[in-house]
Amino acid sequence: MTHDPEKVIIVEGLTDKKQIKRVINDQVEIICTNGTLGVERLDELLETYDLDNRDVYILVDEDNSGLKLRKQLAKELPHAEHIHVSSEYREVATTPENVLATALIGKRIEVNPLFLL
């Protein structure tokens, strides 16, 4: 049996996931929602990833669909912590690595020190 990381970051898409993976050194599971979630898909995520019993971070784009998803996830996962990217960059995938690293380290997620220079 494998041990799942305690930390989970929920993102919208695969490009967001790739951007975060470049920056982190921590054992973190990154889940892609591929946009807004239906009730069935959300229930599936909650159960499959045991989200009620893990440290959950929500990191979505600062656009209408991202804000809608953040609101939906906040309702279902009140214990989740929110990580925000600047509206200047709008998307997680286009946020510079150093900016993303600073946001992640602020939530106690280990990042590659090269991105903090």
Side-chain angles (χ1 to χ4, degrees):
M1 190 166 122
T2 59
H3 176 67
D4 288 331
E6 286 185 26
K7 298 175 184 173
V8 176
I9 300 175
I10 299 176
V11 299
E12 288 178 84
L14 198 54
T15 55
D16 301 332
K17 181 176 182 173
K18 287 178 181 175
Q19 181 75 334
I20 293 167
K21 279 188 157 198
R22 276 197 284 272
V23 173
I24 63 172
N25 278 350
D26 218 335
Q27 289 295 314
V28 177
E29 186 156 9
I30 303 171
I31 302 170
C32 296
T33 64
N34 300 311
T36 54
L37 299 169
V39 173
E40 204 170 286
R41 173 75 171 123
L42 185 55
D43 286 344
E44 179 186 311
L45 287 177
L46 289 168
E47 189 174 319
T48 302
Y49 296 100
D50 193 25
L51 297 178
D52 289 326
N53 298 303
R54 293 171 78 184
D55 296 333
V56 178
Y57 301 88
I58 300 168
L59 177 54
V60 295
D61 297 343
E62 292 294 321
D63 58 13
N64 286 339
S65 62
L67 297 175
K68 183 178 176 184
L69 178 60
R70 183 183 297 281
K71 187 175 179 181
Q72 181 184 18
L73 290 169
K75 191 182 296 182
E76 294 296 326
L77 297 163
H79 70 286
E81 291 191 51
H82 296 266
I83 303 172
H84 296 271
V85 295
S86 170
S87 55
E88 174 186 350
Y89 306 114
R90 290 184 49 91
E91 297 178 5
V92 173
T94 59
T95 300
E97 284 99 344
N98 64 320
V99 174
L100 195 54
T102 301
L104 290 165
I105 206 163
K107 296 295 182 177
R108 301 163 313 283
I109 295 171
E110 287 181 43
V111 298
N112 183 327
L114 292 174
F115 295 113
L116 296 174
L117 300 176

